[in-house]
Every structure is written in structure tokens, then in C-alpha cells.
Amino acid sequence: MFAAVARWPKQRWPWVVLSLSALTLLLVALYFQYGMSLGPCTKCVYQRFAIVGIFLAALVGLWGRDAAFLRWSAYIGWSVAAGWGLKIAHDQVLIEELVKNGGFSTCSVFAEFPSWLPLDSWLPMIFNPTGICGEAAWQFLGYSMPFWMRIVFGVYLAIALVVMASQLKKHKYNPYD
């Protein structure tokens, strides 16, 4: 099984699946924003940025799947974006819990992207926060969007780590894997 996973990064389909899953999540976020009128808060915008990071890492992996340096760049980009997204989603869940229990907490009103990458100015329709942190305006099965995004980012990160670990060991080819 682990040997089969080790062969995935040199194939096209896993990178296509990764990029399409990230693109789908970004499109769903835009539907929530524009179709359902749920404005994203700053932490939501940062999670979108993490999804874009996963998407870009998948494109690097797809384009450079035959070059070890590009594959490892894609693994690292994928895992960093997923780990950062997981942290942001977790922080947002904690804020929601605090607000739900009668406390008060919020995040910044403005996105704080680096000066060399002002995505909120360049692409305000995607990266400009218009919502309030701590407000659970949407739920599925009793859980908020940040809760579900925490699971999504956790799965992305777990898969990235398994794929990277599979690359560290030489595997004998077994046609029955």
C-alpha cells in the first residue's frame, strides 16, 4: 500500500485531483459569499489563501512531477498551506466557542497580507473580508464552516505527510500493489 502511494506523485491524476479539490473549495466559498450572502471574515479570507496555496502547489506538482526538486517544492507548499489553514480554522473555531459561551472575541477587520502581496487590494472580490469572526452564520450537521474546514485542512495535511513519508523510503516494485 505504502509503495503504491509512493508512485502517485509521478502520475498526473493525483495532482489533478488535488488541484480540482482545492479549486472546488474556493468556488464553494465564493458561492457562500455571493450566492448565500455570507461575508467572509478575516480568518475565512486567510483560509481561502491557504486553499489557493494548495491549488498552486498542486499545479507545481502536476507540471514538475518528473523533477524531484519541483515535486518536493509542491509537497512542502501543500503541507505548509494545509498546516497554516488548519491553524487558522482551529483559531476560528476557538473564537466561535468563546462567543457561543458568552465571551467576546473578534479578529481584525482588515486582512493583513504582506505589503508585497496585497491580495485584498488586488482581488477584493475574493480576499476582502466583509464578515465578522465568531459569527456562525452557516452550519451543517450542527457544526460551523470553520469546524468543517479544520477537518478539510487536517485531511489535506495528513495526506501530504503520508505522501512525503512514502518518498523517503525506496520501494521495490510490486505489480500487485
Side-chain angles (χ1 to χ4, degrees):
M1 173 68 179
F2 209 54
V5 172
R7 289 191 298 273
W8 287 357
K10 292 187 180 180
Q11 299 173 20
R12 177 181 301 265
W13 71 267
W15 296 109
V16 170
V17 168
L18 181 62
S19 64
L20 288 178
S21 69
L23 183 61
T24 299
L25 284 170
L26 183 59
L27 293 174
V28 167
L30 293 174
Y31 171 75
F32 274 78
Q33 181 176 356
Y34 294 106
M36 297 176 63
S37 299
L38 299 174
C41 68
T42 304
K43 294 201 178 291
C44 297
V45 166
Y46 293 157
Q47 289 173 63
R48 285 183 186 184
F49 184 61
I51 291 294
V52 169
I54 292 169
F55 175 75
L56 293 175
L59 293 182
V60 169
L62 178 63
W63 179 67
R65 65 186 183 279
D66 294 326
F69 174 76
L70 291 175
R71 267 195 330 272
W72 276 98
S73 296
Y75 303 149
I76 291 167
W78 172 12
S79 59
V80 166
W84 187 64
L86 178 61
K87 182 206 178 308
I88 298 297
H90 180 70
D91 290 347
Q92 190 174 3
V93 168
L94 294 178
I95 289 171
E96 285 182 350
E97 288 295 319
L98 183 65
V99 170
K100 186 171 77 174
N101 293 325
F104 178 78
S105 182
T106 187
C107 54
S108 175
V109 177
F110 302 104
E112 297 172 8
F113 289 107
S115 60
W116 53 270
L117 189 66
L119 291 175
D120 53 330
S121 298
W122 292 348
L123 298 168
M125 294 184 72
I126 298 173
F127 295 110
N128 187 35
T130 58
I132 300 169
C133 285
E135 181 180 86
W138 176 88
Q139 290 192 350
F140 178 68
L141 299 177
Y143 296 103
S144 67
M145 194 177 313
F147 175 87
W148 291 108
M149 288 308 296
R150 189 168 58 177
I151 292 171
V152 167
F153 283 120
V155 169
Y156 273 135
L157 182 58
I159 293 171
L161 294 175
V162 167
V163 169
M164 288 184 350
S166 76
Q167 300 301 298
L168 298 176
K169 182 179 185 288
K170 290 286 184 189
H171 299 278
K172 293 182 182 177
Y173 175 69
N174 182 351
Y176 301 106
D177 272 346

